[in-house]
PDB file of all heavy atoms in Angstrom:
ATOM      1  N   LEU A 257    -114.810  74.692 -28.989  1.00  0.00           N
ATOM      2  CA  LEU A 257    -115.303  73.444 -28.472  1.00  0.00           C
ATOM      3  C   LEU A 257    -114.019  72.580 -28.473  1.00  0.00           C
ATOM      4  O   LEU A 257    -113.128  72.487 -29.413  1.00  0.00           O
ATOM      5  CB  LEU A 257    -116.177  72.851 -29.491  1.00  0.00           C
ATOM      6  CG  LEU A 257    -117.538  73.673 -29.866  1.00  0.00           C
ATOM      7  CD1 LEU A 257    -118.270  72.904 -30.998  1.00  0.00           C
ATOM      8  CD2 LEU A 257    -118.368  73.961 -28.645  1.00  0.00           C
ATOM      9  N   PHE A 302    -108.720  72.577 -11.582  1.00  0.00           N
ATOM     10  CA  PHE A 302    -109.598  71.464 -10.967  1.00  0.00           C
ATOM     11  C   PHE A 302    -109.611  70.288 -11.870  1.00  0.00           C
ATOM     12  O   PHE A 302    -109.546  69.123 -11.458  1.00  0.00           O
ATOM     13  CB  PHE A 302    -110.994  72.133 -10.714  1.00  0.00           C
ATOM     14  CG  PHE A 302    -112.025  71.050 -10.240  1.00  0.00           C
ATOM     15  CD1 PHE A 302    -112.140  70.654  -8.907  1.00  0.00           C
ATOM     16  CD2 PHE A 302    -112.822  70.357 -11.072  1.00  0.00           C
ATOM     17  CE1 PHE A 302    -112.917  69.721  -8.431  1.00  0.00           C
ATOM     18  CE2 PHE A 302    -113.701  69.474 -10.656  1.00  0.00           C
ATOM     19  CZ  PHE A 302    -113.803  69.116  -9.380  1.00  0.00           C
ATOM     20  N   ASN A 355    -118.044  62.619 -37.323  1.00  0.00           N
ATOM     21  CA  ASN A 355    -118.360  61.908 -38.565  1.00  0.00           C
ATOM     22  C   ASN A 355    -119.058  63.040 -39.514  1.00  0.00           C
ATOM     23  O   ASN A 355    -119.105  64.203 -39.150  1.00  0.00           O
ATOM     24  CB  ASN A 355    -119.387  60.751 -38.256  1.00  0.00           C
ATOM     25  CG  ASN A 355    -120.543  61.122 -37.518  1.00  0.00           C
ATOM     26  OD1 ASN A 355    -121.077  62.404 -37.630  1.00  0.00           O
ATOM     27  ND2 ASN A 355    -121.211  60.210 -36.949  1.00  0.00           N
ATOM     28  N   VAL A 404     -94.435  65.594 -30.613  1.00  0.00           N
ATOM     29  CA  VAL A 404     -93.295  64.846 -31.020  1.00  0.00           C
ATOM     30  C   VAL A 404     -92.199  65.635 -31.294  1.00  0.00           C
ATOM     31  O   VAL A 404     -90.912  65.375 -31.044  1.00  0.00           O
ATOM     32  CB  VAL A 404     -93.612  63.888 -32.210  1.00  0.00           C
ATOM     33  CG1 VAL A 404     -93.874  64.679 -33.487  1.00  0.00           C
ATOM     34  CG2 VAL A 404     -92.546  62.768 -32.364  1.00  0.00           C
ATOM     35  N   GLY A 417     -76.625  66.477 -22.901  1.00  0.00           N
ATOM     36  CA  GLY A 417     -76.417  66.434 -21.412  1.00  0.00           C
ATOM     37  C   GLY A 417     -76.671  67.742 -20.712  1.00  0.00           C
ATOM     38  O   GLY A 417     -76.070  68.077 -19.758  1.00  0.00           O
TER      39      GLY A 417
END
Side-chain angles (χ1 to χ4, degrees):
L257 306 177
F302 175 83
N355 63 21
V404 72

